[in-house]
Amino acid sequence: MIRDAALPGGLVAALRPLGPDVGFRRAWQALGERPFLANPFYEAGYAHAAAPAYGAGVHLLLVADRVPEAPGARLLALWPFRRVRARWGLPLPVLAGWMHDHGVLGVPLLDADEPARALAALLAAPRALAFSPRLLMPYLPTEGAFADLLAAERAASGARQARVWAHARALLDLDGLGYEARGAALAPLSARRRRKLRAAAEALEADGEALRLDTADEPAALAAALEDFIALEAAGWKGRSGTAIACRPPEAAFLRAMTAALGAEGRLRIDRLRRGERTLAAAILPRTGADLWFLKIAHDEGQARHSPGVQLVHRLSRDWLADPAVLRVDSCAAPDTELAEMFWAGRRRLAHHLLEAPDGDPLFPLAAALERTRARIAEARVRMRAARHAGRD
């Protein structure tokens, strides 16, 4: 589906399908290189790699200074979404931001020079294109620059919003910290935890070979490290249960395409904890500027009792403290994930936001009430599962 509509201030709202042959790829890349807030999952290379596996029905909502395919077009905003025509059997259509297993931040790409203008135009675009006046943006920060920008836009337009499923995930936040202060970004470890870490490292080195970190960041090395990662995961319980990447051809194709795309741009690293030529743990981390995103981790289950994944995260964390090129590392993990929270004291606070387009929506209160009810039910189910697991321990 392709639509265009005029917006105030000489801007153009555009609807385009997510596909491999978009005529504004260069403008999309330029927006992703200098966004108001980085979101690797909505950048061109990552999105196109994910599209075959996860992009069915996804469209792009664009704001530009002219039709996006026109020579010299400048994109001010881009947001991938799906049209949901009903919610819980009711005719309450909503535009829902694109999320998938490997995309866990819903911030639209906004022009860094004019973010307020870009956001206001993006939220006005659905009505101009004759779409639903309700936008569901998942995984938006509730603190920081984007949260402040969204609050200012809501106040200026008078449009309503509803926040649901507020939560936090582990974040290593080194921004603005001097060398000595960086150490405080790591969660304090008890003496018992430190002893266990040392004992586990010694056990992993019991055959006389020292552990070492291996970082792949060049295209050929990345391709080989990814295949090593896939094989490592497949050798464990995920392989036996059929849920490993190797058992899911679309997911494997996505990771290979993403590795090639981001690797060619120098924006991906795969870190491995190795003993000789044996990989004990591995992690895949896209990069946006000074930010890293802890996308996936796998470990050698033959060494599970010595926690090689914990050793990898611990050693990487210590290295990042001494690396001024790293300001933040987002765990991309679910709330209360022990591995990341064990070491990282910071938290990225997020929520799903239902946003009303400017000029009002008489059904917004009903839609907001339903979203809140759904979130409460989902949270109750999570608590019940956690209680059942605790009862079995």
Side-chain angles (χ1 to χ4, degrees), residues 139-358:
Y139 295 105
L140 294 187
T142 58
E143 301 173 336
F146 182 82
D148 293 343
L149 182 73
L150 180 59
E153 187 283 331
R154 299 284 84 182
S157 69
R160 292 166 289 186
Q161 67 173 341
R163 294 196 327 197
V164 300
W165 196 52
H167 64 285
R169 66 188 184 213
L171 175 74
L172 180 62
D173 189 357
L174 306 174
D175 193 13
L177 301 181
Y179 178 77
E180 292 184 3
R182 281 183 161 228
L186 293 185
L189 296 177
S190 66
R192 179 174 177 271
R193 176 73 72 181
R194 290 195 296 271
R195 287 195 300 270
K196 289 182 66 175
L197 283 169
R198 286 194 298 269
E202 291 168 1
L204 290 171
E205 295 177 329
D207 61 359
E209 288 191 271
L211 300 178
R212 61 184 174 87
L213 282 177
D214 179 293
T215 298
D217 55 13
E218 298 293 334
L222 282 166
L226 176 63
E227 297 308 318
D228 190 25
F229 182 100
I230 292 172
L232 182 67
E233 186 192 61
W237 70 268
K238 287 188 176 182
R240 295 189 295 275
S241 66
T243 60
I245 296 166
C247 306
R248 299 179 173 183
E251 183 177 1
F254 153 67
L255 286 172
R256 291 183 177 114
M258 183 272 292
T259 297
L262 272 62
E265 299 172 358
R267 298 183 50 238
L268 183 73
R269 55 188 279 173
I270 297 179
D271 290 288
R272 291 178 289 174
L273 181 69
R274 311 194 80 188
R275 185 179 62 205
E277 294 304 309
R278 181 174 180 175
T279 298
L280 302 177
I284 302 172
L285 294 104
R287 177 189 288 274
T288 54
D291 291 3
L292 293 171
W293 306 79
F294 212 99
L295 189 66
K296 288 189 72 68
I297 188 169
H299 68 272
D300 181 346
E301 291 191 11
Q303 303 290 326
R305 69 193 188 98
H306 302 310
S307 305
V310 173
Q311 292 289 328
L312 175 62
V313 175
H314 185 220
R315 290 170 183 240
L316 285 173
S317 298
R318 290 186 301 178
D319 282 0
W320 289 328
L321 294 183
D323 185 353
V326 176
L327 294 185
R328 280 167 296 269
V329 186
D330 189 321
S331 67
C332 300
D336 303 320
T337 298
E338 183 180 5
L339 179 56
E341 295 189 357
M342 184 185 305
F343 298 112
W344 302 349
R347 298 292 180 266
R348 172 160 275 164
R349 304 191 185 281
L350 304 160
H352 299 342
H353 288 58
L354 182 69
L355 303 176
E356 178 188 38

Side-chain angles (χ1 to χ4, degrees), residues 75-124:
L75 292 184
L76 279 79
L78 180 146
W79 183 57
F81 72 96
R82 285 189 174 94
R83 296 176 67 196
V84 180
R85 298 181 183 277
R87 301 291 276 174
W88 310 281
L90 297 177
L92 283 170
V94 65
L95 308 184
W98 184 31
M99 289 286 100
H100 52 83
D101 288 346
H102 303 297
V104 288
L105 188 69
V107 176
L109 296 182
L110 301 175
D111 179 77
D113 294 329
E114 298 184 279
R117 183 186 184 207
L119 180 60
L122 181 70
L123 296 177

Side-chain angles (χ1 to χ4, degrees), residues 164-165 368-383:
V164 300
W165 196 52
L370 288 173
E371 293 294 340
R372 292 189 181 103
T373 300
R374 180 177 181 272
R376 284 195 292 268
I377 292 171
E379 289 168 358
R381 287 174 175 168
V382 169
R383 288 194 297 270

